Amino acid sequence: MSWARQVSGQGRPLVLLHGWGMESRVFASWRPFLDAHFTCISYDLPGHGQTPCAPSGLAWSVSLEGLRQMLVQEAPKPLLLGWSLGGLLALGIALQHPELLDGLVLVSSSPAFCQRPDWFPAIPAATLEDFAQRLREDPQGTRRRFLALQVLNDPQGRRALEGLSAWPMPDQRCLADGLGLLREVDLRAQLTALPMPVQLLHGRQDRIVPIGAADYLHTRLSGSRITRLEQAGHAPFLAQPQACTQALLETWG
């Protein structure tokens, strides 16, 4: 099944993957900054936006295979940018199929989103379980709560996010599957040097993924660059689109 795809801009191809509960138009306010330098290609994840939920939902292996099939069709090889859950998928495909990519950008992402006995810069397991329970009872309210967390202590991001909670709800099964990926997937043991440039973008005010996750990635992905954005939360491209664009141009300008 093909994922819905939107293209704009000109220059080096840059594929954008959105986060949990969102869709590709979350990048709409950032795209004018990117379009002058990149051909932006955004995908809607299964069950989100214009992509229907597949029979397999948002299962990890199937989602990576679907992403692989989409990337094989992109020419020339693109940069792949993933935000939050999209970053987990982007990192997963980069580790499995580095030959498909010319570079990797991880925005507010992590190799493991759920806390574990040996891993603390992450979301407490109880919080994810609470979200899963609330999702079954009140899907719209759960998504609104998650959106509010993304821009906590980030007034610029909060203004940019206004209205997004009124978008159509993603497929509830895929939302539940997405929470499952955030709870279960742990790529730390697979981290290795990647044969491509890697850029990490992370807001210091992120209340969903602590910045320690980006620092960890920076130490494990040799040669990576990290940009820590002051006064930005979990969606730094909403709060500081120009600064985020500049960070990309410092690597691929």
Side-chain angles (χ1 to χ4, degrees):
M1 181 189 72
S2 295
W3 299 1
R5 180 178 181 272
Q6 181 184 3
V7 183
S8 64
Q10 57 185 355
R12 184 192 297 266
L14 171 67
V15 170
L16 303 139
L17 299 179
H18 61 81
W20 184 85
M22 301 305 299
E23 54 187 82
S24 61
R25 60 175 161 168
V26 72
F27 299 116
S29 62
W30 191 18
R31 289 180 86 120
F33 296 88
L34 295 172
D35 283 352
H37 310 281
F38 302 95
T39 298
C40 294
I41 306 156
S42 55
Y43 299 158
D44 283 334
L45 301 182
H48 297 69
Q50 300 301 309
T51 303
C53 187
S56 56
L58 198 57
W60 177 250
S61 60
V62 177
S63 296
L64 285 187
E65 175 57 20
L67 179 56
R68 185 196 68 79
Q69 293 177 15
M70 293 292 293
L71 291 171
V72 164
Q73 300 176 50
E74 302 293 351
K77 290 194 300 185
L79 310 177
L80 179 60
L81 181 151
W83 167 51
S84 195
L85 172 61
L88 188 66
L89 290 165
L91 179 59
I93 201 70
L95 292 170
Q96 287 190 18
H97 295 284
E99 73 281 358
L100 297 179
L101 304 177
D102 202 34
L104 179 67
V105 186
L106 301 178
V107 183
S108 306
S109 198
S110 173
F113 277 74
C114 185
Q115 285 186 2
R116 289 164 168 78
D118 63 342
W119 178 245
F120 297 102
I123 306 170
T127 300
L128 286 171
E129 290 295 340
D130 181 60
F131 266 108
Q133 176 64 32
R134 290 174 181 268
L135 181 65
R136 291 188 286 269
E137 300 168 353
D138 180 14
Q140 283 278 16
T142 302
R143 186 170 71 153
R144 284 196 297 270
R145 182 183 173 210
F146 190 74
L147 291 176
L149 280 174
Q150 292 187 29
V151 292
L152 192 67
N153 298 328
D154 181 356
Q156 289 179 283
R158 185 164 58 249
R159 285 192 295 271
L161 207 58
E162 288 176 358
L164 269 63
S165 60
W167 290 358
M169 279 290 293
D171 181 272
Q172 190 165 344
R173 177 186 173 191
C174 284
L175 283 177
D177 286 349
L179 285 179
L181 297 184
L182 296 178
R183 182 175 61 249
E184 297 161 11
V185 175
D186 183 354
L187 300 178
R188 288 176 296 158
Q190 301 177 36
L191 293 179
T192 184
L194 290 170
M196 68 187 77
V198 179
Q199 173 73 54
L200 307 168
L201 297 176
H202 216 100
R204 287 193 181 276
Q205 304 303 317
D206 195 328
R207 292 297 177 266
I208 294 178
V209 180
I211 198 167
D215 294 332
Y216 178 89
L217 283 169
H218 186 43
T219 63
R220 296 304 190 276
L221 299 174
S222 60
S224 61
R225 299 172 61 116
I226 186 168
T227 300
R228 303 172 182 87
L229 294 150
E230 305 291 342
Q231 306 307 316
H234 190 61
F237 56 89
L238 293 178
Q240 299 180 36
Q242 194 165 3
C244 289
T245 303
Q246 184 58 41
L248 268 60
L249 292 176
E250 288 173 3
T251 303
W252 293 285

